[in-house]
Amino acid sequence: MKKTAFVTGANKGIGFEIVKQLGQAGWKVLLGSRSAERGEAAVSELTSEGLDIEFVQIDMSDLKSIERAATTITKDYPDLTLLINNAGMPGAFSGSFTDTKEENLRNAFEVNFFGTFRLNQRLFPLIKNNEGTIVNVSTDMASLDHMQNAGFALNAFDYNSSKTANNAMTVSMAYELKSSRAQVFAVTPGFTSTDLNGNAEGGKSKEAAAAIIVGYATDGKHHNGEFLNEQGVYAW
């Protein structure tokens, strides 16, 4: 029986590549996107390649939209075994703590933490019951160890702190799954050139970043409670 996955923020960038790679590996994939037009266009492109992809509209800043998506998935796709929380927004990608505006901090938390929290909480019982996997896509800068000890780190407090909070959520969810065969873990693909950072030069490709996330999500190993990068376990 074909396995089913749901990927958020997937009409472009790393999310789109995650959907594509899962589809190529034989999964049925629900492509989550805030924009119905862009989401349907992405699905059309992928289905034209023979992949089994369906569209689910979801706005990670809108509670009602999240509730509708979760209800639809629970009802129509009760065999869901993989949720990849890829959707995210940078806030203003502030350059320092002192430059951070509260409005941008709240905007980053609304999607990266609260939106992901709402979706995770609603799909958690289904994934747990199906002994599945939840992957919270993170960033190197969410690591407090990295921010303290790296030779250089981008001190974008609005974006970074929202992802650090997301990491804390990962740990809490994993604690609840200690005695379960289901699992939740965080993955940072590392510096990647995407729209989120203005396609900054020097980063890995979206395809390469997606391959890291898909690799851990489908390797058959138990990573519950881990924070992973390309090399393996990463410090929180």
Side-chain angles (χ1 to χ4, degrees):
M1 184 176 178
K2 185 176 287 191
K3 296 180 179 180
T4 303
F6 178 37
V7 183
T8 65
N11 64 281
K12 63 177 182 177
I14 295 174
F16 179 85
E17 294 299 330
I18 291 171
V19 172
K20 184 175 183 178
Q21 291 176 26
L22 285 172
Q24 290 171 338
W27 288 69
K28 170 189 280 292
V29 190
L30 311 178
L31 185 153
S33 170
R34 178 177 59 181
S35 165
E37 181 180 0
R38 293 174 183 173
E40 293 284 11
V43 168
S44 179
E45 178 180 344
L46 293 170
T47 54
S48 72
E49 299 177 18
L51 305 182
D52 188 0
I53 315 296
E54 296 184 26
F55 173 63
V56 173
Q57 195 279 332
I58 185 166
D59 181 346
M60 297 300 291
S61 65
D62 184 336
L63 173 58
K64 290 184 178 179
S65 175
I66 292 168
E67 288 177 333
R68 282 195 299 269
T71 298
T72 295
I73 290 169
T74 302
K75 176 176 176 290
D76 296 342
Y77 307 95
D79 59 341
L80 184 79
T81 56
L82 176 60
L83 167 62
I84 299 183
N85 287 301
N86 169 75
M89 65 95 69
F93 230 56
S94 58
S96 70
F97 172 78
T98 52
D99 290 337
T100 302
K101 293 180 171 59
E102 182 175 333
E103 177 185 4
N104 296 323
L105 186 67
R106 288 182 181 276
N107 288 340
F109 266 80
E110 187 61 32
V111 172
N112 300 340
F113 179 73
F114 287 107
T116 306
F117 162 75
R118 291 162 182 153
L119 182 62
N120 274 335
Q121 201 170 60
R122 284 160 178 78
L123 292 182
F124 189 86
L126 180 63
I127 294 289
K128 183 178 181 181
N129 185 60
N130 290 341
E131 299 181 343
T133 296
I134 297 175
V135 179
N136 292 325
V137 177
S138 191
T139 174
D140 293 11
M141 288 101 69
S143 164
L144 301 182
D145 180 81
H146 173 80
M147 292 302 294
Q148 284 193 309
N149 299 311
F152 170 79
L154 184 62
N155 193 21
F157 181 64
D158 43 10
Y159 177 69
N160 296 1
S161 62
S162 67
K163 286 293 194 176
T164 302
N166 194 301
N167 278 1
M169 174 167 55
T170 302
V171 172
S172 180
M173 294 169 70
Y175 187 87
E176 202 163 322
L177 293 177
K178 276 187 175 181
S179 60
S180 169
R181 294 183 65 180
Q183 61 176 340
V184 58
F185 54 91
V187 177
T188 169
F191 176 37
T192 305
S193 299
T194 68
D195 287 353
L196 185 142
N197 56 31
N199 291 294
E201 294 183 3
K204 62 173 58 72
S205 69
K206 301 173 185 69
E207 294 85 354
I212 294 167
I213 297 165
V214 171
Y216 282 122
T218 62
D219 66 7
K221 299 178 181 178
H222 200 65
H223 297 292
N224 191 49
E226 294 180 344
F227 186 14
L228 301 158
N229 70 356
E230 189 172 8
Q231 285 73 45
V233 175
Y234 197 61
W236 293 108

